[in-house]
Amino acid sequence: MSAIETFFDAWALTDTGAQAQMIAGTLAPGATYSDPRSGGRLEGEAIAAYVSAFAANAPGSSATVENTSDVNGYLRIRVAFGGAGPDGAPMVQHGTYFADLDGDQIAMLAGFVGADA
């Protein structure tokens, strides 16, 4: 399993310790993460804390890598965030991420709402 898949699989975990350990194993030293809700670029333990808040605020939700493509060493990733909507009905929201890897680990991961790929 790739670091990208492992990183997003961690979003569904409710055990914050296991989740933080899983995320830490995917990140290169000095890695950054950002998305429209992160409030800026996150580093270190702040990344795991952000993912933990997602899991706490959306219990039973998941983040699934649907597709990846590579252009000149940069990855484009389509992720499906699934779970129950405000009315309790199942819903899926897509996001597009761009990543820079350092070997097998994530050096930078930036997400955007929506997906075209």
Side-chain angles (χ1 to χ4, degrees), residues 1 4-13 22 63-65:
M1 182 177 299
I4 298 292
E5 291 169 318
T6 301
F7 178 85
F8 284 107
D9 284 351
W11 290 56
L13 298 180
M22 193 170 174
T64 305
V65 174

Side-chain angles (χ1 to χ4, degrees), residues 49-100:
Y50 180 75
V51 174
S52 177
F54 168 85
N57 290 322
S61 292
S62 63
T64 305
V65 174
E66 290 187 334
N67 186 32
T68 63
S69 57
D70 183 314
V71 176
N72 299 324
Y74 295 98
L75 289 177
R76 178 175 62 177
I77 305 117
R78 181 173 62 188
V79 178
F81 293 90
D87 62 357
M91 64 167 270
V92 175
Q93 180 181 18
H94 287 92
T96 299
Y97 285 77
F98 295 93
D100 189 8

Side-chain angles (χ1 to χ4, degrees), residues 24-38:
T26 69
L27 302 176
T32 62
Y33 173 87
S34 65
D35 70 25
R37 295 183 179 161
S38 67

